[in-house]
Amino acid sequence: MAASRVSVLVAAVVCCSLVRLSRCGGGGQRAQNYTSMFSFGDSLTDTGNLVVSSPLSFSIVGKYPYGMTYFHRPTGRCSDGRLVVDFLAQAFGLPLLQPYLSRGKDVRQGVNFAVGGATAMDPPFFEEIGASDKLWTNLSLSVQLGWFVQLKPSLCSSPKDCKEFFSKSLFLVGEIGGNDYNYAFFKGKSLDDAKSYVPTVAGAVADATERLIKAGAVHLVVPGNLPIGCSSAYLTLHPSSNKSDYDSTGCLKTYNDFAQHHNAVLQDKLRLLRRSYPEARIMYADYYGAAMSFAQNPKQFGFRHGALRTCCGGGGPYNFNPKASCGVRGSSVCTDPSAYANWDGVHLTEAGYHAIANSILNGPYTSPRLL
């Protein structure tokens, strides 16, 4: 879920299988051929904003082995290669989205506003719950929305122009919200404490979606949270001696139940938005279901080493060691990241992200269907 993000955690292939859209969208809409894409979120989506905003604090992400698979160099992505947002862009024949903080002059095909470690809530929320010292960045979702507002005059110049431009634009609103809970858990908050935050956090995601609709967005994909009970970081930091606390895949039940609770509340709020804005196409992306499909059947996706053990880490049952995280002394990296779903204990491999992207593009994990 972020550079601080704890998440769950086929081989990565050329995106010829993610062809340019020509099929009908969900809800009986006509086929869409998007000409631009804009994304918001945390490190599941960030393509470089974090390292630009805090180059010293997050230098690990800007060094090898990050980026080793596709780019063959670090790009600021928290993985060995591409992310879901990259596969979506390539599926629509668009260039990979440039980070907002290092954007070029041509922004009309899309920009990425996501920042690793970002939260749905603003800093005062974390001050209130006593977790402000855990924040990795203050560049929250509302800040990212502010960047979009600042950029909008570069995209279109009149209401008519904007309506036409955004009718062919896709907005990816997240994943965001996972870090809000992570910071609370890092501070020692209980699951019951975190559950009390869910309506507020999910509400912030829905509010951001509504702000974008009011700004002209028509096509929006809003992902839910990943199954954090399958995260090697959570599995390492919250072990249990009671076998009944784990499901058949080896994931922690209570944390996965929590992620599903967040996702259910978010979906309820999105349903209300659809009623209020019937002209908008609001699609929920079930990252949880897509990730659980390969957590339960990893070999079917080419993950020979399963979905819970990391490719890059410092040892332990899940190859996750917070004192020897990926990229620092004491850690090592696997020779074939495509055989793993989990990259560094807190993010997925390119192959893992490709599996999710393929599932939401071509599978049953987007509602209404993206294709």
Side-chain angles (χ1 to χ4, degrees):
M1 302 179 185
S4 61
R5 170 67 182 260
V6 182
S7 68
V8 90
L9 257 215
V10 220
V13 295
V14 177
C15 268
C16 59
S17 63
L18 301 178
V19 294
R20 197 175 181 88
L21 294 189
S22 59
R23 292 181 295 219
C24 293
Q29 306 262 346
R30 70 167 182 252
Q32 290 296 324
N33 185 13
Y34 300 110
T35 57
S36 62
M37 183 174 169
F38 301 91
S39 61
F40 306 79
D42 56 27
S43 65
L44 293 190
T45 308
D46 183 11
T47 55
N49 285 314
L50 178 64
V51 294
V52 173
S53 65
S54 303
L56 296 179
S57 300
F58 301 96
S59 58
I60 292 175
V61 178
K63 295 181 179 178
Y64 184 87
Y66 288 87
M68 62 180 283
T69 296
Y70 180 78
F71 303 98
H72 306 295
R73 60 179 177 82
T75 63
R77 290 167 173 80
C78 294
S79 183
D80 62 304
R82 288 166 290 182
L83 312 178
V84 171
V85 65
D86 296 315
F87 287 112
L88 294 181
Q90 291 179 322
F92 294 106
L94 296 170
L96 301 184
L97 300 190
Q98 54 188 318
Y100 174 78
L101 294 179
S102 59
R103 66 192 182 280
K105 292 182 179 180
D106 184 6
V107 295
R108 286 180 57 84
Q109 285 190 292
V111 170
N112 191 340
F113 302 98
V115 182
T119 54
M121 301 302 298
D122 291 325
F125 171 81
F126 300 96
E127 294 174 5
E128 183 178 334
I129 68 172
S132 59
D133 60 314
K134 298 299 181 181
L135 290 178
W136 286 48
T137 179
N138 289 330
L139 301 177
S140 62
L141 182 55
S142 66
V143 173
Q144 297 173 31
L145 291 172
W147 289 345
F148 170 71
V149 171
Q150 294 173 25
L151 187 72
K152 189 176 177 182
S154 301
L155 304 173
C156 52
S157 57
S158 69
K160 181 179 180 180
D161 184 27
C162 289
K163 183 176 182 180
E164 173 65 20
F165 181 82
F166 290 128
S167 70
K168 299 178 181 179
S169 301
L170 181 66
F171 288 77
L172 181 63
V173 191
E175 187 278 334
I176 188 75
N179 285 325
D180 299 68
Y181 307 125
N182 290 334
Y183 294 137
F185 290 136
F186 295 161
K187 196 62 179 179
K189 300 294 183 179
S190 67
L191 277 164
D192 286 338
D193 290 331
K195 285 180 181 178
S196 71
Y197 310 147
V198 170
T200 304
V201 174
V205 179
D207 288 346
T209 304
E210 184 174 26
R211 284 182 61 184
L212 288 169
I213 293 171
K214 289 181 176 179
V218 179
H219 308 279
L220 307 99
V221 174
V222 185
N225 281 353
L226 288 165
I228 61 174
C230 300
S231 159
S232 63
Y234 269 75
L235 288 165
T236 299
L237 298 173
H238 301 281
S240 174
S241 58
N242 189 343
K243 292 184 178 180
S244 65
D245 289 338
Y246 298 87
D247 64 18
S248 60
T249 65
C251 303
L252 288 164
K253 294 178 182 177
T254 53
Y255 287 100
N256 274 0
D257 289 344
F258 173 80
Q260 288 182 294
H261 175 60
H262 165 88
N263 293 341
V265 173
L266 176 60
Q267 290 181 78
D268 286 342
K269 293 182 180 297
L270 295 181
R271 277 190 281 269
L272 293 175
L273 279 182
R274 292 189 188 104
R275 295 174 188 170
S276 299
Y277 301 95
E279 72 282 2
R281 188 160 177 260
I282 305 169
M283 295 161 276
Y284 173 74
D286 183 11
Y287 279 19
Y288 183 99
M292 284 304 296
S293 65
F294 59 72
Q296 295 167 343
N297 302 288
K299 292 185 178 179
Q300 291 184 13
F301 290 82
F303 301 133
R304 299 191 306 275
H305 299 285
L308 306 184
R309 185 173 174 81
T310 73
C311 165
C312 185
Y318 305 98
N319 195 31
F320 176 81
N321 181 350
K323 296 181 179 180
S325 58
C326 180
V328 304
R329 181 174 297 182
S331 69
S332 60
V333 63
C334 68
T335 56
D336 183 9
S338 69
Y340 293 77
N342 198 320
W343 166 243
D344 60 6
V346 295
H347 304 98
L348 303 183
T349 59
E350 177 180 270
Y353 287 128
H354 179 267
I356 290 179
N358 192 51
S359 294
I360 65 174
L361 278 165
N362 304 307
Y365 294 105
T366 306
S367 178
R369 294 286 292 270
L370 181 55
L371 297 186

